[in-house]
Amino acid sequence: MTYFFRSLQVCVILFLFIATPPLFSDIYRIKKGDTLLIAVIGQPEYTHSVQVREDGRINYFGGEFDVAGATVTQVNHLIREFLVQDNHVSNPVVMVSLVLQKNGIFVGGAVKTPGRYVISPETDIDLYRAIALAGGMAENADRQGVQLIRTDRTQKVETFDLSINRPYPDVRVNINDLVYIMPLGVVEIQGEVKNPGKLFVRGEISIEQALARAGGHDREADLTAVVKVGKDGKLSEFNLSEQFWKSPPTGESPPSLSDGDVLFVPNVFKIEPIYVTGYVRNPGAQRVRGPLNLRQAVALAGGFETSANREEVRIHRHDGATIETSFAFNPAEGQPRQTLLYPGDILEVKKKFQVNWSLVSTLAYIVISGVGIIIQLTR
């Protein structure tokens, strides 16, 4: 029985060794973090797996070996000479193989497909190739905030600027490193501006800068009643007349926008209503000068009817777009999810699904009666 297990052990070790192709053993250069299986045939007590340390060395039975940059074959010779010279084994048959692991890197943050990407140990990869593995940068990526987080003992965090006009940084990404791209904040400018839509910002941006980036205001813009909707749903109104552009009083900072905020510039000549239709108590037009969140719009329409479906409402934008959303409350703030209605939009509240028990009972009666008739006919 002992002979059987010894033979089985030798076969397993031989398989592990053969599983590492000879050509790979002669070409691949060992790197820090690699795991090596050192096997001595017939001497199971000398069979161990060791990991290459950050200094490129391994420890095997008290012996220190500098293996970083060496091939598997070269390490095999080093171990054999060590065992013979230190009188561990007289004529050892040593087999060293690289334990192939699913090595990879993690790319996260503002990329199109964040996740872990498996790469072979010999792959030489830089920041640009690592980001390309994740589909490239997302629309809200902060190119000046690309972080490379080392997972070795140093735990070093480096930040790089990958702006389009910057020189190409020659930065290598090692196995198990993390690449994280900081996302920019998003603010929205709507109403009487030349280029309404989203703006990507780093930190805060003044209202003056936000309007400038949106192309400036239109001729029909009412700058005396500009509305800011905060991320928390709070509404603030500003008078952006000429006096607004003067320097603020000492100690005060000018109004600004940050991630999640919305700025709405109304029309000075007309007030477009927001329409609330469907299963609300008082459907119809609600004349307002600025945006409303879902809760405010439904409240102006008298609230929900008992048969209203609060889990699925539909918004028809004045530009023709349609959005399906939910009147879902945030338990912490008592506010619905931050979805805003602008003048000219239509909020449609649907009817929730209800079981018609009268119809169900009628169908059940018909089915049971039919089964009874079939049974009678087959007797």
Side-chain angles (χ1 to χ4, degrees):
M1 185 65 68
T2 303
Y3 175 77
F4 170 79
F5 283 112
R6 282 292 181 89
S7 301
L8 180 62
Q9 182 187 50
V10 171
C11 291
V12 171
I13 294 173
L14 285 172
F15 171 78
L16 291 173
F17 179 73
I18 295 171
T20 304
L23 184 61
F24 180 80
S25 301
D26 291 332
I27 295 178
Y28 176 71
R29 299 289 175 174
I30 296 171
K31 300 178 182 178
K32 59 183 180 180
D34 285 348
T35 300
L36 303 176
L37 175 64
I38 302 174
V40 181
I41 303 302
Q43 305 289 336
E45 63 272 18
Y46 287 97
T47 298
H48 285 279
S49 62
V50 294
Q51 188 173 31
V52 183
R53 301 193 304 259
E54 293 300 320
D55 59 1
R57 300 172 68 84
I58 61 172
N59 182 286
Y60 178 73
F61 280 90
E64 288 285 324
F65 305 92
D66 189 0
V67 299
T71 64
V72 172
T73 302
Q74 291 171 337
V75 176
N76 197 318
H77 293 318
L78 288 175
I79 298 299
R80 188 180 187 283
E81 291 176 1
F82 166 75
L83 292 175
V84 172
Q85 292 176 2
D86 281 28
N87 297 319
H88 289 282
V89 183
S90 58
N91 189 23
V93 178
V94 180
M95 294 184 177
V96 178
S97 60
L98 180 70
V99 179
L100 297 178
Q101 300 174 338
K102 288 187 176 180
N103 296 315
I105 59 174
F106 180 83
V107 186
V111 291
K112 294 179 181 178
T113 54
R116 184 174 180 83
Y117 293 88
V118 177
I119 59 175
S120 58
E122 68 273 16
T123 301
D124 188 16
I125 189 169
D126 59 13
L127 269 179
Y128 280 97
R129 290 185 62 192
I131 295 170
L133 288 175
M137 294 187 185
E139 187 181 17
N140 63 329
D142 184 358
R143 291 180 172 270
Q144 298 180 17
V146 179
Q147 294 186 344
L148 177 59
I149 305 170
R150 305 292 186 184
T151 56
D152 53 20
R153 292 180 181 177
T154 64
Q155 298 290 304
K156 186 177 180 181
V157 179
E158 302 172 89
T159 302
F160 300 94
D161 184 354
L162 299 187
S163 299
I164 296 175
N165 296 326
R166 298 281 297 181
Y168 184 91
D170 186 15
V171 181
R172 303 293 108 180
V173 180
N174 300 325
I175 294 294
N176 295 324
D177 281 351
L178 286 81
V179 178
Y180 185 83
I181 302 178
M182 300 292 293
L184 292 170
V186 181
V187 300
E188 193 169 349
I189 313 296
Q190 294 292 344
E192 300 299 324
V193 292
K194 294 180 180 178
N195 299 309
K198 295 179 181 179
L199 298 178
F200 298 107
V201 299
R202 186 179 297 106
E204 293 186 346
I205 183 174
S206 68
I207 291 180
E208 178 184 4
Q209 293 172 327
L211 288 175
R213 287 180 57 180
H217 59 82
D218 289 336
R219 292 183 178 181
E220 298 183 354
D222 183 2
L223 297 181
T224 65
V226 176
V227 178
K228 170 188 172 182
V229 184
K231 188 176 183 179
D232 57 358
K234 182 180 178 181
L235 273 68
S236 305
E237 188 171 308
F238 299 99
N239 182 351
L240 305 188
S241 57
E242 292 183 1
Q243 290 79 8
F244 176 81
W245 305 114
K246 295 181 179 179
S247 300
T250 305
E252 294 185 13
S253 57
S256 61
L257 303 172
S258 58
D259 182 38
D261 290 346
V262 176
L263 188 70
F264 180 79
V265 181
N267 191 294
V268 70
F269 298 114
K270 58 183 178 180
I271 300 178
E272 291 187 81
I274 291 176
Y275 300 89
V276 183
T277 64
Y279 290 84
V280 291
R281 290 191 175 92
N282 300 309
Q286 310 297 329
R287 300 184 69 83
V288 293
R289 289 191 59 83
L292 298 175
N293 59 36
L294 299 185
R295 178 182 60 82
Q296 294 167 328
V298 172
L300 288 175
F304 287 110
E305 289 188 353
T306 55
S307 58
N309 182 4
R310 303 187 183 202
E311 299 300 322
E312 185 179 352
V313 296
R314 181 176 295 170
I315 299 173
H316 303 276
R317 296 293 190 192
H318 64 281
D319 60 1
T322 300
I323 300 174
E324 297 279 353
T325 186
S326 172
F327 197 89
F329 281 90
N330 184 329
E333 300 178 1
Q335 294 285 346
R337 191 166 49 195
Q338 181 72 348
T339 302
L340 297 179
L341 298 167
Y342 300 99
D345 289 348
I346 301 173
L347 174 64
E348 178 187 355
V349 180
K350 299 180 180 180
K351 184 179 181 180
K352 65 182 177 182
F353 175 77
Q354 293 178 319
V355 178
N356 189 333
W357 292 109
S358 176
L359 179 60
V360 171
S361 61
T362 301
L363 292 175
Y365 175 77
I366 294 173
V367 171
I368 294 172
S369 299
V371 172
I373 293 172
I374 293 173
I375 293 174
Q376 291 293 332
L377 293 175
T378 55
R379 285 183 177 178

